[in-house]
Amino acid sequence: MRRYDCVVMYNATNVVEIEGCREKAYPSTILREEVGAVEEALREGGFNPYVLSVERFSKELVALLLELSPRFIFNLCEEINGETELEMCVAGLLEMMEIPYTGSGPFALGLALNKFHVKRMLRAAGIPSARGYLLAAGDGPNPRAARFPVIVKPVHEDASLGINSSSLCRDPGELESQAAYIHGIYNQAALVEEYLDGREFNVSVLGDGDARVLAISEIDFSGLPEGEPRIVSYRAKWDEESEYFRTTKPICPAPLGKRLENRIKAMALRAYRCVGCRDYGRVDMRTDARGNLFVLEVNPNPDIAPSAGFARASQAAGYSYADIILRISQLALERGAK
Ligand SMILES: Nc1ncnc2c1ncn2[C@@H]1O[C@H](COP(=O)(O)OP(=O)(O)O)[C@@H](O)[C@H]1O
Ligand SMILES: [Mg+2]
């Protein structure tokens, strides 16, 4: 086999259309443009990457990894065996095979899959997260655990799956109907959270140990039609044809006063460390109507495509796309050398 020195490992996206689902897959969600971009960046940095699509665990996969024996793996796998719940097992496999790999380890990846677990950990560490509770199928709303209006979202999805114009609920009737949608379509408990009626920030963090914020991006909701909730719904994130996409624009760097900027940076780093993220991550935050800051969620191994928020933040911090991919690779190599 030709001499490859690293591997870009990814999963081919598995699109399942569920009848009645309001978050259908759009072309931009199917295309894994990051794979080719990461490969090219590695070549630019003098590496010779082998690009490996992984669908299922097999002994052939283990044999191939042993044969390639790469210096490190750029891990872009978000699922294996068709299960996003098994994302952490890919990192676990590389851990056991003692192959250095980029991004977070199995614990952070597994933990971050469940927004309610993360919320409890953040709150226990004194990091503000909106008040909320889990609503399983068959349970009734608990208005004392979260005051209306609330946001209702699936507890273990990402990419705004399950988030649409009806996710903001103002009364028990709306809440029950949206929770039934989550239970029926996404087959999981709904996370009910107090609605934070303020600004929204995405904070990109780089590093392992000495992590730092690259840049803060803000979503500009000002063009959204009157009456639409000021949230980043699935269509706002992915449906390039829709007005939700056009009217929820990320602005990076966000226009911020020094004090708020420092508060956002400090809280994002605390949340990143609390979940055990490493190399690269994105912390989503919002303020409430009074300007209090909260962490919405922590994303280890976020989308690192050139068009995604993390790459935009890297650029705002003065790095080219190749710079940032090589820096992340370096972090994996340094861990391997220890
Ligand atoms: N408690 C909340 N208050 C206001 N908006 C929220 C709240 N929770 C989620 N959202 C909105 O829904 C979007 C997606 O929620 P998030 O928790 O970040 O999940 P995902 O993993 O799908 O990105 C956020 O970007 C935000 O606009
Ligand atoms: Mg988010």
Side-chain angles (χ1 to χ4, degrees), residues 115 151 153 157-160 163 193-196 200 231-232 237 284 286 296-297:
K115 291 185 161 67
I151 284 273
K153 53 188 175 184
E157 294 294 346
D158 63 357
S160 284
I163 312 259
E193 241 177 43
E194 288 187 356
Y195 177 61
L196 302 167
E200 177 158 340
I231 58 176
V232 187
K237 224 173 248 179
D284 294 342
R286 266 180 92 112
L296 274 188
E297 60 153 355

Side-chain angles (χ1 to χ4, degrees), residues 115-320:
K115 291 185 161 67
F116 191 59
H117 289 169
V118 172
K119 176 186 289 300
R120 284 199 287 201
M121 265 188 65
L122 293 173
R123 287 174 72 107
I127 301 168
S129 161
R131 288 178 68 220
Y133 62 98
L134 275 188
L135 190 59
D139 287 353
N142 178 359
R144 282 218 295 236
R147 277 186 308 257
F148 285 102
V150 292
I151 284 273
V152 181
K153 53 188 175 184
V155 67
H156 56 73
E157 294 294 346
D158 63 357
S160 284
L161 279 163
I163 312 259
N164 55 48
S165 299
S166 311
S167 302
L168 173 61
C169 302
R170 295 168 191 84
D171 58 50
E174 288 184 358
L175 165 53
E176 279 183 55
S177 119
Q178 192 62 11
Y181 173 73
I182 303 292
H183 298 149
I185 298 292
Y186 288 94
N187 202 18
Q188 60 189 276
L191 175 56
V192 181
E193 241 177 43
E194 288 187 356
Y195 177 61
L196 302 167
D197 194 7
R199 300 170 70 176
E200 177 158 340
F201 304 106
N202 305 120
V203 190
S204 296
V205 181
L206 175 77
D208 177 14
D210 62 344
R212 68 195 174 86
V213 169
L214 283 174
I216 303 168
S217 172
E218 176 170 11
I219 308 291
D220 176 7
F221 292 108
S222 58
L224 264 181
E226 196 61 33
E228 265 302 315
R230 295 161 69 87
I231 58 176
V232 187
S233 63
Y234 187 81
R235 295 190 65 188
K237 224 173 248 179
W238 303 110
D239 180 5
E240 290 170 12
E241 308 287 301
S242 86
E243 65 173 333
Y244 303 104
F245 186 91
R246 284 194 303 274
T247 55
T248 51
K249 281 270 168 258
I251 302 172
C252 188
L256 293 167
K258 203 67 205 160
R259 220 172 127 244
L260 180 56
E261 180 183 336
N262 288 340
R263 273 171 56 213
I264 293 173
K265 282 185 173 168
M267 197 182 287
L269 288 175
R270 283 177 68 203
Y272 183 86
R273 292 195 189 104
C274 178
V275 170
C277 295
R278 91 191 163 194
D279 296 356
Y280 65 111
R282 207 193 62 236
V283 182
D284 294 342
M285 303 170 99
R286 266 180 92 112
T287 56
D288 65 10
R290 292 195 307 206
N292 299 308
L293 192 60
F294 296 83
V295 171
L296 274 188
E297 60 153 355
V298 179
N299 300 287
N301 294 12
D303 187 351
I304 200 166
S307 61
F310 191 87
R312 219 174 10 250
S314 308
Q315 210 169 35
Y319 296 102
S320 71

